[in-house]
Amino acid sequence: MVKTLLNAEGRETRKQKYQRKNRSYKMLFWLMLAGVWIAIIWLMSSQSYQQQNIQPWLQRLTKQVHIGVTLPDVHLFYNGHEYSLRERPYAFVEFLFRKTAHLLIYAVLAVLIYGSLRYKRVRVITCITVALMFVAVIASIDEYIQQFSPNRTSSIWDVGVDLIGGSCGISVYTGIRALLGRRHH
């Protein structure tokens, strides 16, 4: 009865204080993970193209595997460049690998920012907006850094790919959370 009166007066119970404090620690943890993730992104951006080139590895792999098929004539156009599966298969596969990496890396970043805000019980639309704005800013800085790395180029198109990755990451994360939430009820 006394506890009920205290709550009616607007005071927090010990459990409520603990839960609020625990949410703050979880948010801080997620934000620290996001900081580490950003450092990894920028570290990779500062590497030269030669340090990240997977084409030599692909060539060694295909010599060991002996793929004896004729490749289809698939062409992709991106940022003023043409990628042909038949004419330059290693460059084509590397292009797909790099764009997939963009999607995944920024999906993780968006989820880390989104998740940290959700621990503070910020509205969902605000969490999504802030997370995607964060992705746009970090991706833009990432592309700027790449200008100074040997044989690397920066592209506004990659920022778009990163935003798509961030949006997909948040969608998958919220979908999984919703599915897991339904199972526990």
Side-chain angles (χ1 to χ4, degrees):
M1 176 114 174
V2 174
K3 231 181 195 180
T4 306
L5 292 175
L6 290 176
N7 284 339
E9 294 174 7
R11 296 186 183 176
E12 278 185 315
T13 65
R14 283 186 198 178
K15 183 178 179 182
Q16 288 169 328
K17 283 183 184 179
Y18 171 79
Q19 288 173 338
R20 184 174 44 82
K21 200 174 193 179
N22 193 27
R23 282 193 310 269
S24 294
Y25 288 133
K26 287 180 179 179
M27 178 186 177
L28 184 60
F29 176 74
W30 279 64
L31 287 175
M32 286 180 5
L33 285 176
V36 169
W37 196 249
I38 291 167
I40 292 169
I41 290 170
W42 288 344
L43 178 68
M44 290 187 302
S45 285
S46 65
Q47 292 178 330
S48 70
Y49 174 77
Q50 287 77 12
Q51 290 173 300
Q52 293 185 346
N53 186 359
I54 65 167
Q55 290 185 51
W57 176 80
L58 290 170
Q59 290 170 352
R60 285 191 304 274
L61 178 68
T62 55
K63 284 179 184 175
Q64 292 174 356
V65 175
H66 298 295
I67 302 173
V69 297
T70 302
L71 297 172
D73 193 20
V74 177
H75 295 269
L76 294 175
F77 297 92
Y78 184 82
N79 195 28
H81 294 87
E82 179 181 4
Y83 299 91
S84 170
L85 181 58
R86 184 176 288 166
E87 293 171 18
R88 295 181 50 222
Y90 301 114
F92 186 89
V93 170
E94 182 181 47
F95 168 77
L96 291 179
F97 177 81
R98 286 179 174 276
K99 297 310 149 199
T100 302
H102 271 271
L103 291 170
L104 294 174
I105 287 168
Y106 283 94
V108 170
L109 178 61
V111 167
L112 290 172
I113 300 300
Y114 175 86
S116 69
L117 294 172
R118 287 302 294 152
Y119 274 113
K120 277 303 217 181
R121 296 193 176 161
V122 176
R123 290 181 28 191
V124 171
I125 193 69
T126 303
C127 293
I128 293 170
T129 302
V130 169
L132 292 179
M133 285 175 38
F134 209 85
V135 164
V137 167
I138 298 302
S140 297
I141 294 169
D142 176 41
E143 292 302 313
Y144 179 76
I145 291 170
Q146 285 183 24
Q147 291 182 78
F148 304 106
S149 300
N151 300 326
R152 299 280 302 270
T153 57
S154 62
S155 170
I156 192 70
W157 289 95
D158 284 350
V159 175
V161 171
D162 300 337
L163 282 167
I164 291 169
S167 300
C168 291
I170 292 170
S171 297
V172 169
Y173 175 78
T174 55
I176 290 171
R177 294 272 310 190
L179 286 173
L180 293 176
R182 288 184 191 154
R183 287 186 183 169
H184 293 299
H185 290 294

